[in-house]
Amino acid sequence: MSNVQLYACLGSGNCYKPWLAMNQIGVPFDLHLVDVLKGEQKEPDFLKVNPLGVVPYMRTPTGEGIGESNAMLWYLCEGSKLMPETTEQRAKALQWMFFEQSKLEPFISPARFFTTILPDLAEEKRDEIHLWQEQARPGLAYLDGHLTNNSFLLGETYTITDIAVFGYTHVLEEAGLSLGHYPHVERWIEDVSQTENFVPLSDLGKDNVAMVA
């Protein structure tokens, strides 16, 4: 096994993170698409890959399995220009990664899922969507305030920290939230999209595709 093997589904902000990082720093990889809407992540073939039955999931060139999108970022970007250099910066990177997974992703992701990906269920899930949106707003406001005086999350340098938070924040409008309420987040999203070798979430799956049997 010479390349990283990434198992991912289309449209997922968590799957997007390692995929974007590998594109930006030139890590050779093979992408295996898993259709979670059809339940492929729970089928025997995929459970042999990841017994937890979730994506994203990654196998390193040595065959080691790594779950959790931010852990994948940490592995992939070690020694690259995207990894924060100092111990303090690395600690702050982890702080933002924990923040993203506790204050943003748990709310933006499900609201987006039932608003944009499965809109036929939006009316049924209306109360939950409203609650998720309300729960996302404090985290987004905090992020917006931080970006008032910072080009990127760790200052003036784009790092894995930005990729981790960008994954779901940049699609917040697909969750029924308004970027207009967070002007500094909106500016940051544009700046991230201009970084070297950036590729949008909509391109995930267009190349290096090998469908999981």
Side-chain angles (χ1 to χ4, degrees), residues 132-188:
W132 289 322
Q133 291 167 340
E134 287 301 309
Q135 290 172 315
R137 289 188 174 103
L140 289 168
Y142 180 82
L143 176 63
D144 195 68
H146 177 75
L147 289 168
T148 302
N149 298 309
N150 293 279
S151 297
F152 297 102
L153 288 176
L154 297 186
E156 299 306 306
T157 303
Y158 175 68
T159 68
I160 59 171
T161 322
D162 298 285
I163 295 177
V165 178
F166 186 82
Y168 273 104
T169 301
H170 85 288
V171 290
L172 64 85
E173 292 197 322
E174 294 181 10
L177 295 156
S178 174
L179 261 179
H181 294 151
Y182 313 103
H184 303 293
V185 171
E186 185 172 20
R187 184 273 308 159
W188 167 76

Side-chain angles (χ1 to χ4, degrees), residues 2-3 18 54 65 67-69 73 83 89 93 95 104 114-115 126 139 145 151 157-158 160 186 200 205:
S2 58
N3 289 349
V54 296
E68 303 298 333
S69 59
L73 285 178
M83 179 60 76
Q89 287 177 324
Q95 175 181 294
L104 298 175
F114 291 110
T115 299
R126 179 178 56 183
S151 297
T157 303
Y158 175 68
I160 59 171
E186 185 172 20

Side-chain angles (χ1 to χ4, degrees), residues 21-190:
M22 289 190 288
N23 274 281
Q24 291 200 287
I25 58 178
V27 174
F29 69 96
D30 298 312
L31 177 65
H32 304 265
L33 288 182
V34 180
D35 191 334
V36 299
L37 296 180
K38 292 182 178 178
E40 289 182 354
Q41 76 280 17
K42 302 298 183 183
E43 292 181 358
D45 282 345
F46 184 71
L47 292 175
K48 293 176 183 177
V49 175
N50 180 13
L52 289 177
V54 296
V55 292
Y57 192 72
M58 187 175 75
R59 286 206 178 276
T60 71
T62 64
E64 190 71 28
I66 299 176
E68 303 298 333
S69 59
N70 291 336
M72 295 176 203
L73 285 178
W74 204 263
Y75 166 82
L76 291 166
C77 296
E78 183 65 42
S80 80
K81 61 184 179 182
L82 294 181
M83 179 60 76
E85 294 182 356
T86 69
T87 301
E88 181 180 82
Q89 287 177 324
R90 288 180 180 227
K92 288 183 176 180
L94 289 172
Q95 175 181 294
W96 278 109
M97 288 177 168
F98 298 144
F99 172 86
E100 184 268 339
Q101 287 286 286
S102 62
K103 305 298 184 185
L104 298 175
E105 188 271 350
F107 312 125
I108 296 173
S109 176
R112 173 178 176 254
F113 186 79
F114 291 110
T115 299
T116 299
I117 297 176
L118 286 182
D120 290 347
L121 296 179
E123 181 59 29
E124 177 184 334
K125 295 287 186 178
R126 179 178 56 183
D127 291 344
E128 290 98 324
I129 291 170
H130 177 73
L131 177 60
W132 289 322
Q133 291 167 340
E134 287 301 309
Q135 290 172 315
R137 289 188 174 103
L140 289 168
Y142 180 82
L143 176 63
D144 195 68
H146 177 75
L147 289 168
T148 302
N149 298 309
N150 293 279
S151 297
F152 297 102
L153 288 176
L154 297 186
E156 299 306 306
T157 303
Y158 175 68
T159 68
I160 59 171
T161 322
D162 298 285
I163 295 177
V165 178
F166 186 82
Y168 273 104
T169 301
H170 85 288
V171 290
L172 64 85
E173 292 197 322
E174 294 181 10
L177 295 156
S178 174
L179 261 179
H181 294 151
Y182 313 103
H184 303 293
V185 171
E186 185 172 20
R187 184 273 308 159
W188 167 76
I189 288 172
E190 177 60 26

